DNA sequence: CTGAAAGCGCTTACAG
DNA sequence: CTGAAAGCGCTTACAG
């Protein structure tokens, strides 16, 4: 954190002195006050331009006790789901005159604490946080004041009811995928991947269970298979599907990454995804459309979710409304990985 | 831009009053000055913790005339190349105690002006900018002071020699791809896609030309085909490759997106990419590894480039060094789309 | 080693 | 409609 160029910077005082008005008058012009005489305003504006004045929003924020930034803390931008989400957040914030302060946790609760502490020093007007796996609400409260304007995204957190929440309709999504497979004739459908202790995995599992129950289909416990949500582990776990004498013929996967891993694992066993075994994902990342075969999955429209998150956090600010719990819809996008109707 | 909660915020004055020292002493403790007696320091630190003091970096920056942020302005985060780049920038800035201010242009020079003007009001210590297509250096100088600490990334700009530049070795990359195809036996190799007036396209075309010339192969002008760098236009232009009686047997594409589009276009004509026609890309976006067939392309390691950009912009700041021109290497990643040796 | 005072660039009552 | 003064939260010479 080195000093900036200490070169002279043009301030309201310079403008005021140059044309013989007070700093207050210049400030009023900058803030578009109707109190200033049109002539005076014109002279001030001309001088602002002439001296290439740049407003110092930090100084103004300090004096007014306002903020024009919102912190966005996510796992990692290299995940296209979060990249799209961040793009949506930034877009919507920009429209309202706010700037996005970026932070990433890399799924580490410790890094998350450090990143949030650092961002809080920049006095953001709000914080949009997709909590790292294993986050602890008590720890977060230490660094994010209760009064802070926080919106949690994507991952539910026990003990964080004083903050807003925006989530996806995980249960309904998994239910849609499962119903789709059932309609194609599948009876033995696994739920594959994710950590059973994460809220999103629990909810997706519940959707799967619900669809099966509604169709009067039993669920063998061996069909509920955990796996870290990355391609490698998902591929490595493929064998767990085929231990039984009557193995599943399809799997609803925790997310697209897991589904892509599973498809690799199937191929390694000589099974054609979409032919010998049906697979669905969750998220609709860009890769989903171009894999072989293309992946049936649940579209969540992360960019729109980002815009929504920005709006929610600004609304909390403006109206001082009680932080809300918002659930966004998801839609099934059918492609070839779920295959044709079963033989 | 609404007021924050006007609730009382703990300041150095509160801490000082609480334990009967001066604000200066508290400030010295905060900044880890050795001037403070160990006992005093301990008392101050305890009180800071007790009152859950949060440092106001904005106020400190104002007083010290420093900045602890860097603006990052890119086309769009939904491009995985830029998302990875941004992740690298943020990571490296965070390590040095800086925060990333995000902005996106959507390839619009007008939006770019607006976004930069807004970001400059937050007094960033530096600006990392990947200029939107059609950017004008004169316009940029209006909003980015000459004294501003700017690093241009990826796209060269005439009249911007007062700013730093970090680019990819476009020429060498395209040359590597072309040489690879020549080694496989191809003689008629097109350069497909991109806008010929963009610096990166010119450089990549130069690499293609150079490899052909070195191998003593002629280049028919009809093999140099322009196309907007998106999948749709790239697919639509496929026919332009096959107008001649002796059409090319391979194409070095401007980037991966163009290559993926071309592969779709080839399939639509009943040509198997990697079998009937060889294709290479540029960027190595995540999709490149999972398309059918996987895409031979040039890996540019965007995350590492992001880290490098952050380091360069901070170095410019610290040392006041003359802004440098840095060219980062690229490496060929051979996959099936470039096919086996020609018949 | 600690305190009193001034000031970063801005805004906001309060007079006039 | 405009100006003088105070203050946002911090830091930095300067005394002591």
């Amino acid at each position: 954190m080195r000093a900036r160029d200490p070169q002279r910077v043009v301030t309201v005082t310079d403008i005021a002195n140059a044309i013989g008005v007070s700093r207050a008058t210049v400030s009023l012009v900058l803030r578009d006050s109707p109190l200033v005489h049109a002539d005076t305003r014109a002279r001030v504006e001309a001088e602002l331009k002439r001296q290439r004045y740049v407003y110092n929003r930090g100084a103004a924020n300090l004096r007014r006790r306002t903020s024009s930034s919102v912190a966005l803390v996510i796992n990692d931008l290299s995940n296209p789901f979060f990249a799209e989400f961040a793009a949506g957040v930034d877009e919507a914030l920009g429209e309202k005159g706010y700037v996005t302060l970026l932070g990433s946790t890399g799924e580490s609760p410790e890094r998350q604490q450090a990143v949030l502490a650092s961002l809080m020093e920049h006095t953001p007007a709000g914080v949009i946080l997709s909590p790292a796996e294993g986050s602890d609400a008590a720890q977060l409260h230490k660094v994010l004041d209760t009064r802070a304007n926080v919106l949690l995204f994507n991952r539910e957190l026990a003990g964080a009811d004083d903050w807003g929440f925006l989530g996806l309709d995980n249960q309904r999504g998994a239910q849609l995928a499962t119903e789709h497979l059932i309609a194609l004739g599948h009876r033995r459908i696994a739920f594959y991947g994710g950590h059973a202790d994460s809220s999103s995995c629990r909810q997706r599992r519940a959707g799967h269970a619900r669809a099966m129950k509604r169709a009067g289909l039993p669920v063998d416990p061996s069909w509920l298979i955990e796996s870290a949500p990355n391609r490698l582990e998902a591929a490595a776990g493929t064998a767990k599907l085929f231990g039984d004498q009557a193995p599943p013929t399809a799997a609803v996967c925790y997310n697209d990454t897991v589904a892509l891993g599973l498809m690799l694992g199937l191929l390694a066993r000589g099974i054609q995804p979409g032919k010998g075994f049906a697979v669905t994902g969750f998220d609709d990342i860009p890769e989903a459309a171009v894999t072989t075969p293309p992946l049936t999955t649940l579209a969540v429209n992360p960019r729109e979710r980002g815009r929504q998150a920005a709006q929610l956090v600004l609304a909390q600010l403006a109206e001082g409304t009680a932080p809300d719990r918002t659930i966004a819809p998801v839609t099934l996008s059918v492609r070839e990985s779920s295959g044709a109707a079963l033989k």
Side-chain angles (χ1 to χ4, degrees), chain A residues 41-293:
Chain A
R41 167 183 304 281
R43 282 168 55 219
V44 170
E45 279 172 347
E47 189 64 18
L48 288 169
K49 199 153 294 174
R50 205 179 68 69
Q51 295 203 36
R52 304 169 129 257
Y53 170 81
V54 176
Y55 188 63
N56 184 329
R57 203 166 282 281
N61 281 333
L62 177 59
R63 177 60 234 257
R64 304 182 62 204
R65 318 185 97 237
T66 57
S67 166
S68 52
S69 62
V70 170
L72 169 63
V73 178
I74 57 180
N75 175 13
D76 186 10
L77 280 175
S78 68
N79 179 330
F81 174 79
F82 284 122
E84 282 283 348
F85 178 76
V89 168
D90 186 54
E91 195 176 283
L93 287 180
E95 286 168 11
K96 302 286 187 187
Y98 286 83
V99 70
T100 307
L101 305 178
L102 196 60
S104 37
T105 66
E107 286 290 25
S108 149
E110 292 73 38
R111 249 189 74 67
Q112 179 169 268
Q113 291 295 116
V115 164
L116 286 171
S118 162
L119 288 173
M120 288 310 285
E121 296 186 350
H122 292 85
T123 60
V127 178
I128 298 172
L129 168 65
S130 174
E133 194 156 15
S135 293
D136 175 37
Q139 290 294 317
L140 287 176
H141 275 101
K142 275 195 195 159
V143 60
L144 296 172
D145 222 292
T146 317
R147 319 184 302 247
N149 177 25
V150 177
L151 179 72
L152 259 27
F153 172 65
N154 208 27
R155 187 122 54 186
E156 236 149 339
L157 221 55
D161 310 312
D162 45 339
W163 295 331
F165 176 73
L166 170 63
L168 304 171
D169 201 340
N170 288 308
Q171 171 163 346
R172 180 157 170 68
Q175 185 180 336
L176 287 172
T178 311
E179 286 169 354
H180 164 65
L181 293 170
I182 293 170
L184 290 173
H186 292 274
R187 327 301 294 165
R188 300 193 304 280
I189 304 171
F191 187 95
Y192 190 82
H195 287 137
D197 53 342
S198 84
S199 66
S200 57
C201 186
R202 274 201 313 276
Q203 290 162 356
R204 292 175 192 181
R205 283 189 170 193
H208 165 260
R210 188 160 194 226
M212 295 295 274
K213 186 166 183 189
R214 281 195 170 184
L217 297 173
V219 175
D220 190 293
S222 73
W223 302 347
L224 303 179
I225 297 168
E226 287 192 80
S227 140
N230 67 60
R231 208 168 292 197
L232 235 62
E233 285 217 26
T238 308
K240 298 181 191 161
L241 283 166
F242 302 105
D244 251 28
Q245 66 279 46
T249 62
V252 172
C253 292
Y254 170 67
N255 69 12
D256 286 356
T257 305
V258 164
L260 297 180
L262 174 57
M263 294 209 294
L264 288 178
L266 291 170
L267 284 171
R269 299 173 73 88
I271 304 170
Q272 292 279 327
K275 299 251 171 62
F277 194 94
V279 175
T280 69
F282 209 116
D283 284 352
D284 199 16
I285 64 177
E287 286 183 40
V290 297
T291 50
T292 315

